[in-house]
């Protein structure tokens, strides 16, 4: 258990559905991340929130909408997804102190299938 | 040039041997380097972090960093079949909150 909890573990949705992924961290960290992991591709950073402000948005399509209501919770709202969006979505957290020795801890991920 | 590069493997070693996994990175200003392992269907698990040139040992694992060559490696001593999985190299940029990952190297330890 890494202290980062993601739900649901698995999600199947149609292209017209709206769903949300949830992430909660119990580590006292102040930065939270969404990564996407597709088959045979490196982990791709989608969004970063530091102190509840979005500090990075890697040209992610608008059908993915993040929300960070506080430093412990992170959501990824999904709507009108495409089959190519099927992937493992990973939430992570770190302590952003501007120091070199910060580490990234992952949740268990949500395996998303878009039909 | 990709930011973080690794050989995809598979790297096959016999049980009990030393497995050597390599990673190169392009951002010369990077300060923090990490090795994760990821079993199939699971999330990445942090094994080692290293911030200074040289070696850092933790149990059967040794991370090596050479910033001049922009190279970081992971040695696994006394490799076990349970070490068979994908190993991800990650680099934290010197600015922002972005941990960049390599594509991973698949290790196979043969009994």
């Amino acid at each position: 258990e890494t202290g980062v909890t993601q739900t649901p573990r698995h999600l199947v949705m149609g292209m017209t559905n709206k769903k949300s992924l949830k992430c909660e961290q119990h580590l006292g960290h102040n930065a939270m991340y969404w990564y996407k992991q597709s088959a045979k591709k490196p982990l791709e950073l989608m969004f970063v929130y530091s102190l509840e402000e979005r500090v990075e948005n890697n040209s992610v399509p608008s059908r993915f909408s993040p929300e960070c209501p506080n430093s412990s919770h992170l959501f990824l709202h999904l709507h009108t997804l495409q089959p190519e969006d099927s992937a493992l979505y990973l939430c992570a957290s770190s302590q952003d102190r501007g120091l070199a020795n910060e580490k990234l801890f992952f949740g268990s991920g949500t395996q998303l299938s878009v039909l | 040039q990709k930011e973080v590069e690794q050989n995809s493997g598979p790297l096959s070693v016999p049980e009990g041997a030393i497995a050597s996994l390599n990673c190169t990175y392009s951002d010369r200003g990077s300060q923090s380097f990490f090795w994760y392992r990821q079993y199939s269907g699971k999330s990445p698990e942090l094994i080692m972090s290293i911030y200074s040139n040289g070696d850092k040992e933790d149990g059967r694992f040794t991370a090596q960093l050479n910033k001049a060559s922009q190279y970081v490696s992971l040695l696994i001593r006394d490799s076990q079949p349970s070490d068979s999985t994908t190993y991800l190299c990650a680099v934290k940029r010197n600015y922002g909150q972005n941990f960049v990952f390599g594509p991973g190297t698949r290790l196979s330890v043969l009994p």
Side-chain angles (χ1 to χ4, degrees), chain A residues 90-104:
Chain A
L90 291 158
C91 174
S93 72
S94 72
Q95 183 62 19
D96 177 10
R97 296 168 295 186
L99 302 176
N101 62 349
E102 295 157 18
K103 298 171 185 174
L104 192 66

Side-chain angles (χ1 to χ4, degrees), chain B:
Chain B
Q1 182 187 9
K2 295 179 182 175
E3 285 200 62
V4 181
E5 300 204 53
Q6 298 178 254
N7 286 327
S8 61
L11 172 66
S12 295
V13 299
E15 185 174 355
I18 296 175
S20 177
L21 303 160
N22 305 316
C23 172
T24 57
Y25 60 94
S26 61
D27 182 359
R28 189 169 284 279
S30 299
Q31 296 291 324
S32 311
F33 308 87
F34 308 89
W35 284 99
Y36 288 79
R37 66 185 175 192
Q38 186 175 21
Y39 290 97
S40 180
K42 303 290 187 182
S43 61
E45 172 194 6
L46 182 64
I47 305 172
M48 295 279 294
S49 57
I50 187 166
Y51 312 106
S52 305
N53 279 329
D55 295 1
K56 179 181 177 184
E57 186 175 320
D58 184 0
R60 295 187 298 115
F61 299 102
T62 299
Q64 299 174 317
L65 176 60
N66 183 327
K67 289 186 179 179
S69 300
Q70 295 175 243
Y71 176 92
V72 58
S73 65
L74 179 70
L75 302 178
I76 306 175
R77 287 182 299 282
D78 188 23
S79 296
Q80 301 297 309
S82 58
D83 294 326
S84 299
T85 189
T86 298
Y87 290 81
L88 305 174
C89 173
V91 174
K92 184 178 182 298
R93 291 176 177 163
N94 198 29
Y95 57 91
Q97 280 301 106
N98 192 350
F99 294 76
V100 182
F101 285 80
T105 297
R106 192 156 56 91
L107 173 66
S108 179
V109 180
L110 307 173

